Amino acid sequence: MFGRKAFIMGNGTVTENSYKKATVIGNAEIFGGNIKNLTNIGNSTISGELEADKINSIGNLCASENIRADIIKSVGESRFNKLFVKNLIVWGKVNKKSSTLNGEISVNTFEVMGHCKVKCNLEAENIFVSSLLCMEQELQCENVECIGSIEAPSINAGYIYIYPRATSKLNELYASEVIIKRTLKDCLKIRKHHSTWRHKLRRFKKENSIINIEIVEADKIYLENTRAKLVSGKNVIIGPGCIIETVEYIDSLSIIG
Amino acid sequence: MMDNLLSKKELLKLTGISYGQLYRWKREKLIPEEWFEKKSSFTGQETYFPKDKIFKRIEIIQKLKDTHSLEELAHFLSPELTDRLFQFEDIKKIIELNDCVLEMFAAGRGKQTFTYVDVVFMYAVSILKSEAHISEKVLSEIIKSICSYSEMIKGTNYYLKVIKLEIVSNTAYMEKAYTMVYQTQAQLFLDPHFKELRTFYLDELSNELKLKYDRGIF
């Protein structure tokens, strides 16, 4: 049952079935089913419910029904209906354009290794950004670690780590713990568990710029190179390079020059 | 107005909860985003909460969070914000919902499952049916109208206005009903041909239901 393979070069359809591997180079309509490994280079329309282990897409992927997958690697425009995926990786650029994500996406780990615009409801556990993530709505998740830039109206998360860059556009940060720090050494909680990070960290660009944020509210706060209007927290440490209008603290405040 | 509002700072101090907890509960839809009211204050911008609602909500969350998952609590406390579905058989147990209205909603929806917002709308229409004299035809129009948009409404901070249009001419009499749902407490001026039948505030109806059935269906 799982030995079946489909290969389409040009235009074609992939009928609803169980496949070990399905490859599309061109344009195809995929009628759903069960595909272990799906590769799309071009335009694929998925018009039925699909369960996959791995989906690799370069180009446009459009799904009108639910998709469940373990890993999805995508560059280009993806339009989902309802997507449940463990690991979603967006990388690279197609025709110098950002990748875009549309639809209702429920993901465990979302890695943004290329420019990505999220125009939809995103439910995520962990989000790693090494390139650029643009959100139209508030970014909500358990852990965010960004060594690139994030553009979002606000972030509401459990743990937030951001490398301070002027290119990030954030208004409000709400979390249990917020760390904005110019070193990666002891603040990336999750990095050890993801091998892709080691690759990205080797090409990491250091910068000495200031990140602008309006409001930072969390229980534990450590800030460097941050300009903010209001910082409110339980235990607050203001590190070097910060320009803060108002700091409110409940338990402790340290200012490190 | 400020008497029933509580600042975020005061809330954290009085309840002993942390920023992390407050924002996690907001993220998990246990505390509706609408309750976070931003107002300018002496120190700049401050967030305020409706005092009675927020205390009660935090009390319930703290009591139940060790025995229920946050998702379960969200379904229970803010069903209007989740996509929780209610079955026809369970809804029938709510005596405030008129059976005829319920049947018409099921027919208008084309299915036997309803969202929480559907239930609140059904309550409103049931009240309308018992208070005003409306024919079956007009009632079905009202329900069809509501069914066309109720799935898009994710919350109860809305007003439902039901209006009637009567056209009397020498040869015919026509009566049609229309509904509209809007958010702010704006005063709407209607063309004099329309007569307002009733305006409901969904949040009020929702609270009545939740209060009565908090141990049962919700």
Side-chain angles (χ1 to χ4, degrees):
Chain A
M1 277 171 294
F2 260 115
R4 202 176 279 118
K5 292 188 186 168
F7 183 80
I8 295 181
M9 190 133 165
N11 301 319
T13 59
V14 178
T15 53
E16 179 168 358
N17 231 315
S18 291
Y19 297 90
K20 187 171 172 187
K21 194 166 172 177
T23 309
V24 172
I25 303 179
N27 306 308
E29 182 168 356
I30 300 169
F31 284 93
N34 204 311
I35 304 178
K36 253 185 142 204
N37 257 304
L38 169 63
T39 302
N40 165 55
I41 302 177
N43 302 309
S44 278
T45 308
I46 305 175
S47 49
E49 283 211 17
L50 177 68
E51 255 200 59
D53 283 4
K54 206 165 168 184
I55 300 180
N56 235 308
S57 172
I58 300 178
N60 298 321
L61 193 65
C62 183
S64 54
E65 301 292 320
N66 296 353
I67 297 186
R68 250 172 228 280
D70 277 350
I71 303 177
I72 296 184
K73 282 193 182 158
S74 162
V75 62
E77 206 178 299
S78 306
R79 198 169 280 270
F80 299 105
N81 185 17
K82 269 200 182 148
L83 172 66
F84 301 94
V85 60
K86 279 201 195 127
N87 208 334
L88 174 60
I89 303 165
V90 172
W91 59 279
K93 274 187 182 168
V94 171
N95 292 338
K96 297 191 185 166
K97 281 207 297 192
S98 293
S99 298
T100 55
L101 289 177
N102 264 295
E104 270 186 50
I105 301 178
S106 192
V107 54
N108 190 287
T109 303
F110 179 27
E111 293 179 55
V112 184
M113 307 214 293
H115 287 202
C116 182
K117 274 196 200 141
V118 175
K119 295 184 169 187
C120 59
N121 295 327
L122 179 69
E123 233 180 64
E125 190 60 26
N126 306 312
I127 298 184
F128 302 145
V129 183
S130 66
S131 185
L132 171 63
L133 171 63
C134 292
M135 300 286 302
E136 284 189 349
Q137 299 168 11
E138 176 174 82
L139 179 62
Q140 295 183 352
C141 62
E142 209 34 60
N143 304 300
V144 183
E145 293 188 339
C146 173
I147 62 174
S149 309
I150 300 184
E151 290 181 17
S154 54
I155 302 181
N156 180 341
Y159 168 81
I160 300 176
Y161 165 78
I162 299 180
Y163 183 87
R165 293 189 198 275
T167 44
S168 278
K169 295 195 174 81
L170 293 162
N171 274 338
E172 294 148 14
L173 299 185
Y174 302 110
S176 263
E177 185 173 359
V178 173
I179 301 179
I180 299 181
K181 200 168 182 180
R182 282 194 61 218
T183 58
L184 308 182
K185 207 176 132 218
D186 20 43
C187 44
L188 292 186
K189 243 169 48 168
I190 321 280
R191 69 170 166 155
K192 300 176 211 120
H193 306 285
H194 285 264
S195 56
T196 45
W197 268 124
R198 275 181 240 131
H199 157 74
K200 271 295 155 182
L201 291 176
R202 267 184 245 132
R203 304 158 76 202
F204 177 69
K205 265 202 282 187
K206 278 195 177 180
E207 217 174 280
N208 192 6
S209 59
I210 302 220
I211 184 173
N212 280 289
I213 306 179
E214 296 268 310
I215 300 173
V216 179
E217 276 189 28
D219 297 306
K220 222 169 148 194
I221 300 177
Y222 179 92
L223 301 178
E224 269 178 24
N225 278 39
T226 305
R227 185 187 280 121
K229 274 216 172 100
L230 173 64
V231 171
S232 286
K234 225 182 195 171
N235 302 93
V236 181
I237 303 176
I238 306 290
C242 288
I243 304 170
I244 317 279
E245 233 175 81
T246 310
V247 180
E248 300 173 336
Y249 71 96
I250 299 175
D251 281 352
S252 69
L253 169 65
S254 322
I255 300 180
I256 304 174
Chain B
M1 227 288 257
M2 291 299 279
D3 292 336
N4 46 5
L5 287 181
L6 184 69
S7 77
K8 189 197 293 174
K9 283 206 258 296
E10 279 292 305
L11 177 69
L12 294 181
K13 195 160 78 172
L14 292 171
T15 56
I17 64 174
S18 64
Y19 281 105
Q21 280 175 306
L22 178 66
Y23 287 113
R24 167 164 288 122
W25 295 343
K26 180 188 186 201
R27 218 160 59 230
E28 304 282 347
K29 302 189 169 66
L30 294 178
I31 301 176
E33 201 172 322
E34 292 144 5
W35 292 8
F36 289 70
E37 294 178 36
K38 279 209 176 124
K39 294 197 190 293
S40 337
S41 80
F42 171 68
T43 47
Q45 278 261 338
E46 258 261 43
T47 306
Y48 292 88
F49 297 89
K51 199 190 275 188
D52 327 299
K53 285 189 192 174
I54 193 72
F55 271 135
K56 186 149 190 236
R57 181 58 57 95
I58 291 185
E59 196 186 313
I60 300 177
I61 297 172
Q62 287 177 310
K63 196 161 80 172
L64 300 176
K65 69 174 161 63
D66 295 326
T67 46
H68 294 74
S69 73
L70 292 185
E71 202 179 324
E72 282 176 348
L73 284 187
H75 278 184
F76 170 77
L77 294 169
S78 327
E80 69 274 12
L81 299 175
T82 64
D83 41 17
R84 177 178 173 193
L85 291 175
F86 295 83
Q87 302 296 323
F88 190 85
E89 301 77 44
D90 297 323
I91 305 290
K92 269 201 131 168
K93 298 179 192 155
I94 303 177
I95 51 173
E96 281 81 355
L97 303 189
N98 182 293
D99 284 335
C100 181
V101 169
L102 180 55
E103 300 276 354
M104 285 181 161
F105 252 93
R109 271 251 162 276
K111 42 187 166 174
Q112 301 275 309
T113 56
F114 307 93
T115 64
Y116 179 75
V117 175
D118 286 334
V119 175
V120 179
F121 274 124
M122 285 191 259
Y123 183 22
V125 177
S126 302
I127 295 175
L128 186 68
K129 182 174 193 295
S130 63
E131 287 185 1
H133 282 301
I134 1 180
S135 65
E136 281 257 333
K137 177 172 163 291
V138 169
L139 190 68
S140 81
E141 277 171 9
I142 292 173
I143 292 174
K144 218 182 268 175
S145 165
I146 293 174
C147 284
S148 71
Y149 53 65
S150 77
E151 284 205 307
M152 297 186 264
I153 297 177
K154 301 263 183 256
T156 50
N157 187 24
Y158 294 89
Y159 291 86
L160 166 70
K161 200 189 273 293
V162 186
I163 56 179
K164 190 169 73 165
L165 175 68
E166 271 180 354
I167 298 178
V168 188
S169 75
N170 293 330
T171 47
Y173 167 79
M174 195 175 75
E175 189 186 50
K176 284 201 82 118
Y178 300 92
T179 67
M180 60 178 83
V181 171
Y182 53 96
Q183 231 175 353
T184 61
Q185 207 168 2
Q187 195 183 5
L188 288 177
F189 295 91
L190 296 172
D191 181 295
H193 290 104
F194 289 102
K195 270 198 206 72
E196 180 180 319
L197 280 180
R198 196 61 154 90
T199 302
F200 298 95
Y201 182 40
L202 297 183
D203 206 37
E204 221 173 87
L205 298 179
S206 162
N207 287 331
E208 276 178 42
L209 288 176
K210 280 186 186 176
L211 217 71
K212 184 167 178 195
Y213 293 93
D214 74 338
R215 243 156 274 276
I217 297 176
F218 307 128

